[in-house]
Amino acid sequence: MSSSNLSDLESVSVSEPRYKGRSTKINNNLDGRPRMSTTSRNSSILSTNSGPESKYYKMKKLVAVIKEYLQNNTEDVASVVNRYLQALSVTIDLSIFDPHTNIASEFFVSLYELMSRNEARSPFAWNCVDVLSNVCRNSAARLALIHTYQFLPSLARILGDQITKEKKLRLLKLMQDLTCGIKISWQIPHLPHLMTTLAKWVDSQEEEIVSLSLGVLVNLCYKNLPAIYTLTSNVDMKKLLRTCITIKGPVVEAHACKLLIICDYMNETGPLTNLKKLVTITFISMKKAFEDRDHILLRQLVEFYIDVKKQNKSGDEGDLSDIYENEVADLLKLHDRTVAVTDQDRAQGDTYNLSECVALIFQFLHYLIQMNLECLKPFYSKFIQISLQWVQSDVVSHQSIAILKTIAINTSAGKTDILKPLGVSLPVFLLALDYGTQEDIPTHTEHNRKIGALLQLLRVMMRVDHLKPKILMELKEETILKVFYPLLGDDSPRLRANDHNTCSEEAINLYTHALALVDELAKHDVSWVTIRENFLQQRQIHYVLSQALYGGSKEVKSLVLEMTSLSTFPRDNVATAMSSVQSFVSLSSPPPTKNHHIINEISTPVLSIAQVEKLDGLINKLKDVITNRNFVDISTSDVMELYEYKLASMGHAERAAMASVEAASERCSHLQHRTAQLTAEMNRLHQLLFHTQQRHEEVSKMKQQLEDVLQLRTNSFEAEKGRCKAVQSRLAHEEKRALKLEEELNEVKESKDQLEEQQAKLKHLVSKLEENCSRLEKNLVKKEDALKKSLSQIEEMKLQIMSLEQELKKKQDMLERKNEDLQEALEDLKMRKQIIETITKVAQQHS
């Protein structure tokens, strides 16, 4: 790798840079159509389509250097890969791992290839484990890792007795996260080694390793019969269960209880006998996990319990009322104690684990509230109080708002006073909706879930009589517009799929719930009717509704179908959009294969020719003996030989089948990765197509506008031609005037020459007078007497001189004024010549 590439890494900080989009404004007047404003890869390692300011910078760089490393296995590139892995393992912005983006799918596939193509002891292994542990903090990304990218085989290769205890704990915690809810359809080759190792560690003396190993085993076996068959065929189940029962501790006991329930399912008998024990041990283990901030274990407990209870709805909950009442009270007390030290936890950097644990506790409580148990209704006020404390948290808000919504639904009309805190907290809800400036609106998964839950809550609150007027008064049009801004803004982020999330399932649900809220508001306030109708005319909304109908949940589909009863609902447009969406998805299942037996024959190796001939001869011999019923002639050695041939053939078939399964598993993983990448690319191309259609419509409108402008310009040109003729006539008039001015100028010049001649004469006269004065002065002394006699004569001469000087001064002033008039006339003449030349040029251009 070049030194410039290595130096680029030095500038990568551990914290993620915040992406800032350019400032845009939304068209608040919905009467007009909101305007809507991809990644080529170079051959070098640094092939990215954005600079370091993008929050996806590290991921793009890592994808590039992994590809470079897989092509050129050098130490420099390996060092860069490790450093980028370390940076991503501690990144705080978890939204970069949202799996709907192109870069996220490329990142996960590259990470999978890096782990699968290197040895288990490679320097990348544990850095990849740390990155995956950080990715699992994003719930959507964790589900993608489990169901799409399937990192478990790569992690199973690392698992072994040779690693240290600290690495065992790190790996087992990650595997717990990546096996919770996993689906296993066949006996994958890595399962025997994984389950044998985990079962062996369950028998160890390390309590934490025992608990984690048992948790992974339970996750693998739950609802996965192939995994159970693999476990029972490779592990002594009686010994395993006996070991689990002897180990004491709430967590291990919970796992043991779940393992017993799984075995009951395997025997086709429901876990009714273990349900009461499951309830008790689940509460105890949940409190222990909550105190330890172990959100991985807490998620296992909550999801397993909810899943089991959903499958056993016929259970008698009345017998468990006392347990629910007491344990829920203890959970609430534990929550209060935890919140009391929240500031200290925040100082210790444990905020995320606390929020994740609280979210899981709320998920558990929400399920109990959905059961509408009478024993829990006295806790509704407390549930509302603690839920309102976490509304502002992105991690917890989704579950806390779900609790508030369910309580509002379950509360009867005569007991709605319990919902008064919701009315008091309405400004907080609206503040959460009115998020910052338009350019800073986040669109990651957690934010979409939070805002979607808030909109659902507001819609439910609209059905409460004493809350409805307050919502109608305080909820502003701008707040709802800001929710739709990422979809309908002036510079729609549908083209920036790496930076915004407007086409994921969470985003589709968000916009559907927003439309449902607007529809509910329109039923009670006519001012919202226009807003609803304008929203329903937007092409983006048509695609949202079509995607909601195509892939949304039951609740979302119900909301869309409810809106179809509106007379103004754009049924044809939504149908067109849905057809467009369906064209990108293959709805037909693959045709069944007709030649399974041929594939099996090909994949199962046969015996050699000599062995086949010998085996055929032995079988014919046995058939003859059986036909003649001469069983005495059958030797034991012949039967044993036939059995050995059978075992050898089955051994060959088993090895071939295992190799085929391993290849099929690898191929399946590759196809799932490819599907994920193609899905992300399909979404991007779909958005690009939609953007192109939008731009085409805008260009058509702009063309019409330009044609109108051209017509106006043509009319203006004709008017200018008429004005040009008028100017030409004025030009001729000005030329005549210029000739007169020229004649006047000639006269002024003649006057100037005369004045100059007079000035020269006066100067000559002055010089003579000066000479006379000098002579008189010289003769003054000599002729004092004569001077006295001639005083009268001298006085007269002085008076004459003064009059001459005054006349001279007047002549000089007159000369200066004539000069100034001459200069003004010259400047005026020059200006008129310029005007005449300009008019002449303009006339020539127009002609």
Side-chain angles (χ1 to χ4, degrees):
M1 173 176 283
S2 64
S3 59
S4 62
N5 295 342
L6 292 173
S7 63
D8 284 344
L9 180 62
E10 303 297 334
S11 62
V12 179
S13 60
V14 171
S15 62
E16 287 292 310
R18 177 85 174 177
Y19 173 77
K20 295 290 184 183
R22 66 182 181 88
S23 176
T24 54
K25 295 182 179 180
I26 192 168
N27 183 8
N28 288 333
N29 182 10
L30 288 178
D31 294 336
R33 186 184 186 90
R35 294 182 291 110
M36 292 185 61
S37 34
T38 318
T39 153
S40 61
R41 181 172 63 88
N42 298 329
S43 58
S44 65
I45 296 175
L46 301 179
S47 57
T48 57
N49 65 343
S50 61
E53 70 277 7
S54 173
K55 65 179 182 179
Y56 298 98
Y57 175 70
K58 294 188 186 72
M59 292 176 66
K60 293 179 180 179
K61 299 284 282 185
L62 180 59
V63 170
V65 294
I66 287 177
K67 291 179 180 178
E68 178 69 14
Y69 175 76
L70 295 177
Q71 295 175 358
N72 305 314
N73 191 348
T74 62
E75 293 184 0
D76 290 341
V77 182
S79 175
V80 175
V81 171
N82 274 323
R83 294 164 77 176
Y84 275 116
L85 288 173
Q86 292 169 3
L88 285 172
S89 66
V90 294
T91 185
I92 299 174
D93 187 4
L94 301 180
S95 64
I96 64 173
F97 300 121
D98 283 350
H100 68 282
T101 60
N102 286 353
I103 184 60
S105 60
E106 291 181 8
F107 167 69
F108 292 139
V109 171
S110 299
L111 202 62
Y112 180 88
E113 292 178 353
L114 181 66
M115 295 185 68
S116 60
R117 295 191 187 182
N118 288 278
E119 296 295 331
R121 298 183 181 181
S122 67
F124 307 112
W126 296 103
N127 286 331
C128 290
V129 169
D130 293 337
V131 172
L132 290 174
S133 299
N134 197 29
V135 172
C136 286
R137 295 166 60 192
N138 183 316
S139 59
R142 182 178 66 85
L143 293 177
L145 292 180
I146 295 172
H147 302 297
T148 303
Y149 298 101
Q150 298 181 351
F151 279 87
L152 189 60
S154 300
L155 297 175
R157 294 170 55 207
I158 307 174
L159 198 67
D161 295 328
Q162 74 279 0
I163 60 178
T164 63
K165 178 184 176 181
E166 183 268 336
K167 289 184 177 179
K168 287 180 182 179
L169 295 176
R170 287 164 56 191
L171 187 56
L172 287 173
K173 288 180 180 179
L174 175 59
M175 293 179 75
Q176 267 197 326
D177 249 355
L178 293 183
T179 56
C180 191
I182 192 171
K183 301 299 179 186
I184 300 176
S185 302
W186 57 79
Q187 299 185 46
I188 305 174
H190 71 273
L191 282 180
H193 161 71
L194 177 59
M195 290 187 164
T196 303
T197 305
L198 293 174
K200 182 170 58 176
W201 287 359
V202 169
D203 202 17
S204 66
Q205 301 299 320
E206 299 290 343
E207 181 180 354
E208 196 169 1
I209 292 178
V210 171
S211 174
L212 292 172
S213 301
L214 194 56
V216 176
L217 276 177
V218 170
N219 286 343
L220 289 172
C221 294
Y222 184 56
K223 291 186 177 180
N224 295 315
L225 285 179
I228 296 177
Y229 295 148
T230 303
L231 179 65
T232 54
S233 61
N234 291 275
V235 176
D236 187 349
M237 288 297 295
K238 292 183 179 180
K239 180 182 177 182
L240 176 62
L241 293 175
R242 199 162 43 243
T243 302
C244 295
I245 293 173
T246 56
I247 300 174
K248 299 299 180 182
V251 177
V252 177
E253 290 181 14
H255 290 319
C257 181
K258 290 192 286 186
L259 195 58
L260 289 173
I261 293 174
I262 292 171
C263 293
D264 287 340
Y265 275 122
M266 183 180 175
N267 296 329
E268 297 182 357
T269 59
L272 299 177
T273 57
N274 299 313
L275 279 181
K276 188 169 183 180
K277 181 180 179 181
L278 177 65
V279 173
T280 304
I281 200 64
T282 298
F283 275 105
I284 296 173
S285 304
M286 283 175 57
K287 289 184 284 188
K288 179 68 168 58
F290 189 65
E291 290 174 349
D292 295 340
R293 303 288 194 273
D294 190 349
H295 63 276
I296 299 176
L297 173 60
L298 197 57
R299 183 186 298 114
Q300 280 185 291
L301 295 168
V302 171
E303 292 183 357
F304 185 88
Y305 178 81
I306 293 175
D307 202 4
V308 171
K309 294 295 292 182
K310 285 181 178 179
Q311 294 188 22
N312 293 273
K313 296 180 180 180
S314 59
D316 187 5
E317 303 294 343
D319 297 339
L320 304 175
S321 298
D322 294 339
I323 298 177
Y324 283 134
E325 186 174 356
N326 296 331
E327 295 296 344
V328 167
D330 290 342
L331 269 181
L332 295 178
K333 292 177 183 178
L334 179 61
H335 171 270
D336 291 340
R337 290 197 303 270
T338 304
V339 173
V341 294
T342 299
D343 294 337
Q344 181 179 357
D345 289 332
R346 184 178 293 110
Q348 296 174 354
D350 194 29
T351 308
Y352 174 79
N353 287 339
L354 174 62
S355 301
E356 184 71 15
C357 290
V358 172
L360 291 167
I361 291 293
F362 280 12
Q363 180 183 356
F364 181 76
L365 294 176
H366 179 235
Y367 175 73
L368 296 181
I369 295 170
Q370 283 181 315
M371 295 168 63
N372 203 15
L373 300 174
E374 289 294 333
C375 61
L376 296 183
K377 290 188 176 179
F379 296 101
Y380 278 5
S381 298
K382 182 65 176 178
F383 290 154
I384 292 175
Q385 177 188 346
I386 63 174
S387 297
L388 290 175
Q389 296 175 9
W390 293 94
V391 168
Q392 296 295 333
S393 171
D394 280 346
V395 179
V396 189
S397 60
H398 175 60
Q399 294 296 340
S400 64
I401 296 171
I403 290 177
L404 297 175
K405 182 189 71 172
T406 305
I407 291 177
I409 293 174
N410 291 345
T411 302
S412 59
K415 299 180 180 179
T416 55
D417 290 343
I418 197 175
L419 302 178
K420 287 184 178 179
L422 298 182
V424 176
S425 301
L426 182 60
V428 178
F429 301 153
L430 299 182
L431 182 63
L433 291 177
D434 195 12
Y435 189 93
T437 60
Q438 291 175 346
E439 63 180 14
D440 293 330
I441 297 176
T443 56
H444 53 79
T445 300
E446 293 297 337
H447 178 78
N448 286 341
R449 287 178 178 173
K450 171 184 174 181
I451 301 302
L454 273 174
L455 295 170
Q456 293 180 67
L457 177 60
L458 290 174
R459 186 168 179 267
V460 172
M461 290 170 62
M462 281 291 297
R463 301 175 183 176
V464 180
D465 293 337
H466 63 84
L467 297 178
K468 185 193 306 179
K470 190 171 185 180
I471 296 175
L472 291 172
M473 180 178 63
E474 297 190 13
L475 184 58
K476 305 299 182 185
E477 174 186 344
E478 291 76 11
T479 303
I480 297 298
L481 286 174
K482 189 165 288 188
V483 173
F484 283 94
Y485 181 78
L487 184 71
L488 302 176
D490 292 337
D491 190 10
S492 176
R494 278 181 168 266
L495 290 180
R496 302 194 301 272
N498 285 341
D499 295 336
H500 293 77
N501 182 357
T502 59
C503 60
S504 65
E505 180 181 355
E506 291 77 13
I508 297 301
N509 293 342
L510 165 64
Y511 299 130
T512 304
H513 289 303
L515 283 172
L517 176 59
V518 172
D519 183 37
E520 187 70 26
L521 293 168
K523 294 177 182 178
H524 306 281
D525 189 348
V526 294
S527 63
W528 287 94
V529 174
T530 304
I531 300 174
R532 181 188 64 189
E533 304 308 323
N534 287 321
F535 272 134
L536 291 176
Q537 299 305 315
Q538 304 301 320
R539 183 188 291 267
Q540 299 96 318
I541 299 298
H542 301 161
Y543 276 89
V544 167
L545 294 174
S546 64
Q547 289 174 315
L549 283 171
Y550 181 74
S553 62
K554 176 182 176 181
E555 181 184 3
V556 171
K557 290 179 179 178
S558 175
L559 290 176
V560 178
L561 293 175
E562 182 180 344
M563 284 187 284
T564 57
S565 62
L566 297 172
S567 59
T568 56
F569 187 84
R571 297 176 182 83
D572 294 338
N573 293 332
V574 174
T576 302
M578 194 168 186
S579 300
S580 176
V581 171
Q582 287 178 334
S583 64
F584 289 91
V585 183
S586 177
L587 299 180
S588 60
S589 58
T593 304
K594 299 180 180 179
N595 298 321
H596 290 298
H597 63 283
I598 298 177
I599 296 175
N600 290 334
E601 290 178 0
I602 294 174
S603 62
T604 304
V606 296
L607 302 177
S608 64
I609 297 176
Q611 288 176 327
V612 171
E613 291 177 352
K614 191 173 182 180
L615 182 60
D616 289 341
L618 182 58
I619 292 173
N620 292 331
K621 181 180 177 180
L622 289 174
K623 285 182 178 179
D624 293 338
V625 171
I626 293 172
T627 303
N628 298 326
R629 298 193 177 187
N630 193 4
F631 297 103
V632 179
D633 294 338
I634 300 177
S635 61
T636 306
S637 60
D638 292 337
V639 178
M640 291 180 65
E641 185 178 3
L642 180 61
Y643 183 69
E644 288 175 357
Y645 277 121
K646 181 64 175 177
L647 289 179
S649 177
M650 291 179 65
H652 283 297
E654 183 181 7
R655 286 191 294 273
M658 288 300 294
S660 178
V661 168
E662 186 172 2
S665 300
E666 185 67 24
R667 180 61 177 168
C668 180
S669 298
H670 172 73
L671 291 176
Q672 285 184 330
H673 297 172
R674 185 61 178 160
T675 300
Q677 291 178 303
L678 290 176
T679 301
E681 182 67 14
M682 178 195 70
N683 290 333
R684 188 187 69 81
L685 292 175
H686 193 191
Q687 294 166 19
L688 182 60
L689 175 62
F690 176 76
H691 174 75
T692 304
Q693 292 174 346
Q694 290 286 105
R695 285 289 179 262
H696 178 70
E697 292 178 0
E698 293 178 4
V699 168
S700 299
K701 292 181 180 179
M702 188 178 296
K703 179 182 177 181
Q704 184 61 39
Q705 292 175 356
L706 291 176
E707 289 177 352
D708 296 340
V709 171
L710 178 62
Q711 184 63 35
L712 291 175
R713 292 289 184 268
T714 303
N715 297 336
S716 176
F717 176 71
E718 295 297 332
E720 289 294 333
K721 286 176 66 176
R723 284 194 291 270
C724 181
K725 293 180 180 179
V727 168
Q728 287 178 346
S729 60
R730 289 180 57 188
L731 177 61
H733 176 72
E734 292 295 333
E735 287 177 349
K736 294 179 180 179
R737 185 179 177 186
L739 292 174
K740 293 181 180 179
L741 291 175
E742 190 174 357
E743 293 175 357
E744 293 178 357
L745 180 61
N746 292 331
E747 294 177 356
V748 170
K749 286 181 178 180
E750 292 176 357
S751 300
K752 176 184 177 183
D753 294 338
Q754 294 176 359
L755 291 174
E756 286 177 350
E757 291 176 359
Q758 292 178 2
Q759 184 181 14
K761 292 178 180 181
L762 290 173
K763 286 182 178 179
H764 182 68
L765 179 60
V766 169
S767 62
K768 287 182 177 181
L769 291 174
E770 287 177 350
E771 290 176 359
N772 292 331
C773 288
S774 62
R775 283 197 306 270
L776 290 173
E777 287 177 354
K778 290 178 181 179
N779 295 326
L780 180 62
V781 177
K782 297 178 180 180
K783 297 181 179 181
E784 288 181 350
D785 296 336
L787 181 61
K788 292 180 181 178
K789 294 179 182 180
S790 302
L791 284 173
S792 58
Q793 186 180 355
I794 292 172
E795 291 295 329
E796 291 177 358
M797 293 296 293
K798 287 182 178 180
L799 291 173
Q800 186 179 359
I801 291 171
M802 289 176 65
S803 63
L804 290 174
E805 286 179 351
Q806 289 177 358
E807 185 178 356
L808 177 62
K809 187 175 181 181
K810 290 179 181 179
K811 295 296 183 180
Q812 288 177 344
D813 291 339
M814 184 183 298
L815 181 61
E816 289 178 357
R817 284 194 302 272
K818 293 294 184 178
N819 287 334
E820 290 175 357
D821 293 338
L822 180 62
Q823 291 296 327
E824 289 177 358
L826 289 173
E827 290 177 358
D828 187 27
L829 179 61
K830 185 177 181 180
M831 186 179 299
R832 291 177 184 277
K833 285 183 177 182
Q834 290 177 354
I835 292 172
I836 292 170
E837 291 174 356
T838 303
I839 293 172
T840 305
K841 289 179 181 181
V842 172
Q844 291 175 353
Q845 290 176 358
H846 283 78
S847 61

